Amino acid sequence: MTASSPANPAISIRDLVKRYAPAGGGEAKLALKGVSFDVPQGEIFGLLGPNGAGKSTLINIMAGLVRKTSGSVDIWGFDIDRDQRNAKRAIGIVPQEIVFDPFFTPYEVLENQAGLYGVVKHLRRSEELLRAVHLADKRDAYARSLSGGMKRRLLIAKALVHQPPVLVLDEPTAGVDVELRRQLWELVTEMNREGVTIVLTTHYLEEAEELCDRIAIINHGELIANKPTRELVGMAREKVLLLTLANPVVDLPSHPGFIRCQAVGEHGLEITYNKDKANAGELLSALQAQGFSVVDVTTKEADLEDVFVRLTASVAV
Ligand code: ADP
Ligand code: MG
């Protein structure tokens, strides 16, 4: 597939809106409220959000399974409306729900899919793909006899038959056990190493943190964060000191370790600091030295979970 130039994003989404028509006289559901972001080429991009956030809606629009209300989606430089055919060829989708014809073997599943995409016989890579997803020994088994994990792996192979430069996985590890989750993570990392841009949705922070180069967070149909994982995790390196002072706060203290410092009520201070750069003891001594008399202290630790909760509560960070 001829790529748009390497500098271009693998996927570009602008002002994407999806309104589901009301079912049976109910209210219309605004599942995406104007979402914009880019997925850089070569990355593992995580779309993180709680159930009902709009992740599958977004993926299904990319897959051409759900019709968007407005906005634009480019895949590998191809607009999904104007250049539907090329856009479709540029992407492989692993859906959230496992659906298979139970009477086909893994090999047949891949061959059928290749046929559907018009991949000519000598360019098919069914055997190679089965090896890649560690299913070579199940080549001729009935799909219905495969375990849940094997089925997921087969779905990944199926999404790759036309060698798309972009692979999208919708909740690949929802409801799978720890070991299988590991296997899937390895598989995704392998595919990425071979040059495939990966987008995956998940509601597991740990998964996004471990796998993804960049994480976007979606909640109630809105994108509320989009940062390199390192930066998001950096936000989780923050710690908070809550202090009660003997005297009313007039001037705020200062210290190079502070990220933020603000007065809370008349006697309170809330100090956010980077726990890699300072510790509470140092900060308290510095405060004493600056003439602040502390009568009470509590600390709060932020982890990615907190960052997520804060972000989804739409509190500015
Ligand atoms: P996620 O994948 O993040 O869990 P979804 O994209 O599946 O979220 O759903 C987003 C919102 O849109 C939810 O409120 C869901 O109930 C609603 N929704 C999803 N599909 C439909 C549909 N076909 N008709 C009406 N509402 C839908
Ligand atoms: Mg979903």
Side-chain angles (χ1 to χ4, degrees):
M1 174 123 233
T2 47
S4 48
S5 108
N8 290 343
I11 296 176
S12 186
I13 291 174
R14 289 293 170 274
D15 305 319
L16 190 60
V17 172
K18 174 60 192 180
R19 185 189 301 276
Y20 285 109
E27 276 184 30
K29 170 80 202 180
L30 200 53
L32 296 173
K33 301 174 180 166
V35 169
S36 301
F37 65 92
D38 286 343
V39 176
Q41 283 188 35
E43 289 202 349
I44 302 184
F45 185 98
L47 191 61
L48 184 66
N51 280 330
K55 302 182 298 297
S56 293
T57 299
L58 202 120
I59 301 287
N60 291 335
I61 291 172
M62 291 192 224
L65 298 171
V66 166
R67 187 191 283 272
K68 64 186 161 60
T69 303
S70 62
S72 70
V73 177
D74 278 26
I75 298 166
W76 215 247
F78 302 114
D79 183 286
I80 59 164
D81 296 329
R82 287 197 305 271
D83 217 340
Q84 194 184 12
R85 202 181 140 81
N86 281 320
K88 266 207 153 136
R89 289 194 154 265
I91 199 166
I93 308 259
V94 183
Q96 186 171 349
E97 308 298 334
I98 298 181
V99 271
F100 273 123
D101 187 325
F103 296 105
F104 286 114
T105 68
Y107 181 77
E108 288 166 345
V109 166
L110 299 189
E111 285 292 306
N112 291 346
Q113 182 77 357
L116 225 86
Y117 273 90
V119 181
V120 291
K121 283 259 185 219
H122 73 278
L123 289 178
R124 293 191 188 169
R125 342 177 269 154
S126 302
E127 312 272 1
E128 181 193 331
L129 281 169
L130 286 174
R131 276 197 302 278
V133 298
H134 312 294
L135 283 177
D137 59 334
K138 296 286 172 190
R139 184 189 188 277
D140 301 316
Y142 279 125
R144 65 171 173 201
S145 74
L146 303 179
S147 69
M150 291 173 182
K151 285 180 183 152
R152 278 213 187 258
R153 271 149 42 206
L154 181 55
L155 277 180
I156 295 177
K158 188 179 167 196
L160 290 168
V161 295
H162 56 295
Q163 287 190 269
V166 184
L167 178 66
V168 178
L169 303 111
D170 195 3
E171 307 247 9
T173 59
V176 308
D177 65 33
V178 178
E179 190 178 322
L180 178 58
R181 193 179 300 176
R182 279 266 149 227
Q183 274 182 25
L184 288 170
W185 288 3
E186 269 170 38
L187 191 57
V188 164
T189 313
E190 262 170 51
M191 301 295 164
N192 180 247
R193 245 186 265 124
E194 282 164 24
V196 180
T197 302
I198 310 270
V199 178
L200 62 90
T201 75
T202 180
H203 56 262
Y204 300 116
L205 284 168
E206 189 202 351
E207 178 160 274
E209 191 178 343
E210 170 142 354
L211 275 183
C212 302
D213 300 301
R214 176 175 277 272
I215 298 176
I217 300 179
I218 185 170
N219 193 38
H220 298 304
E222 285 175 292
L223 206 75
I224 53 174
N226 176 7
K227 287 180 189 301
T229 306
R230 233 177 312 113
E231 262 177 56
L232 259 189
V233 173
M235 287 157 65
R237 306 301 299 165
E238 292 176 7
K239 217 167 160 171
V240 179
L241 262 184
L242 297 165
L243 306 176
T244 309
L245 302 177
N247 305 308
V249 181
V250 184
D251 293 316
L252 293 176
S254 63
H255 187 278
F258 287 1
I259 294 169
R260 276 187 300 280
C261 175
Q262 62 196 54
V264 181
E266 210 181 336
H267 289 261
L269 273 184
E270 184 177 308
I271 296 172
T272 307
Y273 65 99
N274 184 328
K275 64 183 174 192
D276 296 332
K277 292 198 181 137
N279 65 50
E282 274 171 52
L283 294 180
L284 286 174
S285 319
L287 254 68
Q288 303 278 353
Q290 289 173 37
F292 292 87
S293 165
V294 177
V295 294
D296 195 20
V297 184
T298 28
T299 62
K300 269 194 324 200
E301 191 116 9
D303 57 15
L304 201 46
E305 192 83 44
D306 286 335
V307 173
F308 185 64
V309 169
R310 262 194 286 161
L311 285 165
T312 51
S314 350
V315 175
V317 281

